[in-house]
Amino acid sequence: MKIICIGRNYTDHIKELSNEKPTDPVVFLKPDTAIALKGQPFFIPEFSKDVHHEVEVLVRINRIGKHIQSKFAHKYYDEIGLGIDFTARDLQGELKAKGLPWEKAKGFDGAAVVGKWLKKDSLPAVDQLSFELEKNNTVVQSSNTALMLWKIDELISYVSQFFTLKIGDIIFTGTPAGVGPVAPNDVLVGRLEDQELFRIKVK
Ligand code: ZN
């Protein structure tokens, strides 16, 4: 399986990192080894002193497809989740400054937290989902999929022009504002529509 991630999909987060608003979705991949093992803490990697949390709504693909039109994209997933795109912001900054790929800063072991999955039909419309990340009992990121620049179905259509989507592939749909560093002993809790989908301790 592959993990396809979208960058810069919420205007408020683009502003907080002083990035330019993209004309097309920003796309990058994480290897499957980036997925955090269930029940394990997140270990801050030795190569970074500034690892940030990015809470993101996730979509799991359930049919093979390519060149999918937006209007048919809803047929390619029936589960929605929530996760964290952990990012070594210091290393990412160095790589961005040199125009180099981000993978080392975003694809390391444990950098993709994948929470519990919820059936799409048990939820409100996918473009109206509220979600939040709590760090040590304080909400640090809170948003709604209505604020995405590119909606879930548009993202599926866009990425499937480049990559064949296969059963089990996961799309990280981008983070809203409020990203910030994690430190040992932090506890991160993610909720979608008030349901807790992950709880992870930082070491
Ligand atoms: Zn992200």
Side-chain angles (χ1 to χ4, degrees):
M1 58 84 66
K2 57 187 170 294
I3 303 166
I4 302 170
C5 301
I6 306 301
R8 302 180 197 169
N9 201 24
Y10 290 83
T11 307
D12 56 356
H13 172 62
I14 294 170
K15 284 193 190 135
E16 80 178 340
L17 292 190
S18 306
N19 282 320
E20 276 175 47
K21 193 168 168 178
T23 50
D24 290 303
V26 173
V27 179
F28 58 95
L29 304 181
K30 290 184 192 254
D32 57 5
T33 46
I35 295 181
L37 298 174
K38 290 274 178 261
Q40 289 281 100
F42 171 71
F43 292 95
I44 297 174
E46 285 178 8
F47 56 77
S48 178
K49 295 193 162 35
D50 192 28
V51 172
H52 279 198
H53 54 75
E54 295 190 354
V55 71
E56 311 201 0
V57 170
L58 312 183
V59 179
R60 181 150 67 176
I61 298 299
N62 68 352
R63 280 176 68 176
I64 191 164
K66 68 187 298 186
H67 298 296
I68 300 163
Q69 292 178 48
S70 269
K71 63 180 175 186
F72 298 127
H74 66 97
K75 298 180 176 193
Y76 289 81
Y77 62 101
D78 59 8
E79 288 176 306
I80 299 285
L82 195 70
I84 299 179
D85 165 19
F86 275 120
T87 303
R89 194 71 73 202
D90 44 0
L91 178 55
Q92 186 196 27
E94 287 170 30
L95 295 167
K96 271 163 81 172
K98 293 179 189 163
L100 293 172
W102 296 346
E103 273 72 8
K104 287 189 291 183
K106 285 189 171 272
F108 56 87
D109 289 359
V113 173
V114 176
K116 264 189 270 178
W117 293 98
L118 299 175
K119 288 286 174 201
K120 183 172 68 176
D121 54 19
S122 74
L123 293 166
V126 294
D127 293 336
Q128 290 166 37
L129 298 174
S130 62
F131 62 100
E132 65 178 24
L133 181 74
E134 200 180 85
K135 182 168 86 172
N136 307 331
N137 300 316
T138 303
V139 174
V140 288
Q141 294 191 267
S142 173
S143 193
N144 191 292
T145 54
L147 300 173
M148 289 179 168
L149 293 177
W150 287 278
K151 308 295 187 220
I152 288 173
D153 290 356
E154 294 170 321
L155 292 173
I156 288 173
S157 175
Y158 184 77
V159 298
S160 74
Q161 294 177 57
F162 302 93
F163 312 118
T164 295
L165 298 181
K166 294 174 76 175
I167 295 169
D169 287 352
I170 297 173
I171 302 177
F172 276 66
T173 61
T175 196
V179 302
V182 295
N185 299 317
D186 282 350
V187 176
L188 301 168
V189 178
R191 292 190 195 88
L192 181 82
E193 290 291 320
D194 293 327
Q195 296 191 60
E196 182 177 313
L197 298 191
F198 64 78
R199 177 177 289 264
I200 188 160
K201 187 157 186 190
V202 178
K203 294 228 166 165

